[in-house]
Amino acid sequence: MRDVGIPHPRLPLPAPGKRDDLQAFLAWLSDAIPMVEHLGIREMRWEGECLVWELSLVPNLNDKGTGFGGGLTAQTTLLGWCWTTLWLRQRGHARDVVVAEASQRFLAPVTGDYRLTCAPESEHGPETLAERLASRGRGRIALTQQLWCGDTLCLEARGDYAVLPAS
């Protein structure tokens, strides 16, 4: 167990221009953030510029037998953090990422296993982030997350993720 205030060691960067092995990244993430192993993430994959998680509902049940809003909110926030971190790593940057602002809209109860997706809010978001990193050494990107239970959109979320200056 790690002591409070002690950062977890970074995962080595992937080869230049390559994406991370997502299973290895998820294993590292479970070590770095202990609650991850309890989120029910069954699979993580890229679909173009969209990062997708497939999840089991069972670890996230509430007292009503549906998805627990607090847990779902944590998942959307973490998925955005993963998108930003993986995007940076693919470009050779080992940088700290923090969520600066987040909001959620619950549209329908989550009644079974589900899929979470995360993509840039604007098609120009990644390009703008890259330009700001090059010119200012830091930047932000707005991402959207959607939670799908079958064909039903149950949750929409939005987050601004800040990339901190290199230390």
Side-chain angles (χ1 to χ4, degrees):
M1 178 173 271
R2 194 167 78 240
D3 289 332
V4 173
I6 305 299
H8 190 73
R10 291 187 190 271
L11 188 65
L13 289 170
K18 299 288 185 182
R19 284 188 164 166
D20 277 280
D21 172 320
L22 293 181
Q23 291 303 334
F25 181 81
L26 191 54
W28 171 84
L29 190 62
S30 292
D31 287 341
I33 304 172
M35 73 179 253
V36 168
E37 70 180 323
H38 303 288
L39 295 180
I41 303 167
R42 296 189 326 234
E43 179 186 353
M44 181 180 350
R45 68 179 181 276
W46 285 102
E47 291 180 2
E49 289 300 310
C50 186
L51 187 59
V52 179
W53 282 355
E54 298 286 342
L55 299 109
S56 172
L57 176 60
V58 172
N60 299 293
L61 286 172
N62 65 16
D63 58 315
K64 293 166 234 20
T66 60
F68 172 57
L72 302 175
T73 296
Q75 291 171 347
T76 61
T77 301
L78 183 59
L79 182 58
W81 181 91
C82 287
W83 189 99
T84 308
T85 298
L86 289 164
W87 183 90
L88 288 164
R89 290 173 54 75
Q90 181 183 358
R91 286 148 185 83
H93 301 290
R95 303 288 288 278
D96 286 328
V97 174
V98 296
V99 62
E101 185 177 330
S103 62
Q104 302 79 33
R105 238 181 69 199
F106 295 89
L107 306 169
V110 179
T111 58
D113 292 348
Y114 53 98
R115 179 178 76 255
L116 268 174
T117 64
C118 180
E121 185 175 76
S122 162
E123 68 180 83
H124 303 293
E127 179 184 325
T128 301
L129 177 58
E131 289 169 1
R132 289 203 175 126
L133 288 171
S135 66
R136 299 179 186 164
R138 59 187 167 91
R140 279 172 91 135
I141 187 164
L143 301 173
T144 58
Q145 299 88 19
Q146 294 183 321
L147 186 154
W148 296 87
C149 191
D151 293 332
T152 303
L153 178 60
C154 298
L155 168 63
E156 290 181 316
R158 182 191 180 283
D160 284 341
Y161 293 84
V163 179
L164 303 179
S167 52

